[in-house]
């Protein structure tokens, strides 16, 4: 069975329950879950509006990132989903989860998965600030 249980770039709200359910595995002694949400400030500046855009290749790049993490760690199950479109403060932007035989491996693999996703998957954030200024940011700088 493929250890990559769920991957996606979606324009609909993300579900922690769906992602956690996708990585449920009796061989795992540890499951690490990361949930990234839209915060009200970025670098001390109040955020008013935020939108994510993805390149058409984003899903393929996400799969390659997940495959590399699964190859480098003793992963029993892995899931990652990222939201695109307009998001409000508090909305979930990204969820990753990794199950491994031991907690330390799960923590390490989960950290690697979110870091590599943000570094390599072509997703960009456009944020508008309350002062009217706006900027484009790579999803993972």
């Amino acid at each position: 069975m493929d250890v990559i249980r769920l991957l996606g770039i979606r324009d609909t709200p993300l579900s922690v329950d769906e992602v956690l359910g996708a990585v449920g595995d009796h061989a795992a002694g540890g499951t690490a879950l990361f949930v990234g949400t839209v915060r009200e400030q970025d670098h001390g500046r109040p955020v008013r509006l935020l939108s994510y855009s993805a390149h058409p290749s984003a899903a393929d790049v996400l799969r390659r990132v997940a495959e590399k993490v699964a190859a480098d760690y003793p992963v029993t199950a892995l899931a990652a989903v990222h939201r695109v479109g307009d998001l409000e403060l508090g909305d979930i932007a990204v969820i990753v989860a990794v199950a491994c035989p031991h907690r330390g491996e799960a923590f390490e693999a989960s950290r690697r998965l979110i870091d590599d996703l943000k570094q390599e998957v072509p997703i960009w954030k456009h944020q508008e600030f309350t002062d009217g200024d706006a900027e484009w940011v790579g999803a993972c700088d």
Side-chain angles (χ1 to χ4, degrees):
M1 179 182 214
D2 189 8
V3 299
I4 299 172
R5 307 277 177 83
L6 174 67
L7 294 177
I9 309 292
R10 300 181 177 171
D11 62 0
T12 56
L14 305 180
S15 166
V16 171
D17 290 339
E18 177 191 22
V19 173
L20 194 55
V23 298
D25 192 301
H26 294 298
T31 300
L33 175 79
F34 172 81
V35 179
T37 56
V38 177
R39 62 183 177 263
E40 65 184 0
Q41 291 194 28
D42 191 19
H43 301 293
R45 299 174 67 192
V47 174
R48 184 179 75 79
L49 178 68
L50 187 135
S51 182
Y52 283 99
S53 299
H55 188 273
S57 68
D60 292 334
V61 176
L62 178 57
R63 173 152 296 276
R64 287 195 300 271
V65 165
E67 288 170 348
K68 181 76 169 122
V69 170
D72 290 348
Y73 293 89
V75 171
T76 62
L78 176 151
V81 289
H82 201 296
R83 178 105 182 258
V84 292
D86 296 336
L87 282 78
E88 297 182 12
L89 296 178
D91 282 349
I92 298 173
V94 62
I95 307 170
V96 302
V98 177
C100 292
H102 303 283
R103 71 178 178 272
E105 299 159 340
F107 282 130
E108 290 175 25
S110 174
R111 175 69 183 251
R112 167 85 173 281
L113 179 58
I114 189 60
D115 287 350
D116 289 359
L117 182 159
K118 292 178 67 69
Q119 185 68 37
E120 298 178 29
V121 179
I123 298 173
W124 302 276
K125 175 173 62 174
H126 183 254
Q127 52 190 7
E128 293 181 21
F129 300 97
T130 58
D131 64 5
D133 196 15
E135 70 179 357
W136 282 96
V137 181
C140 68
D141 5 280

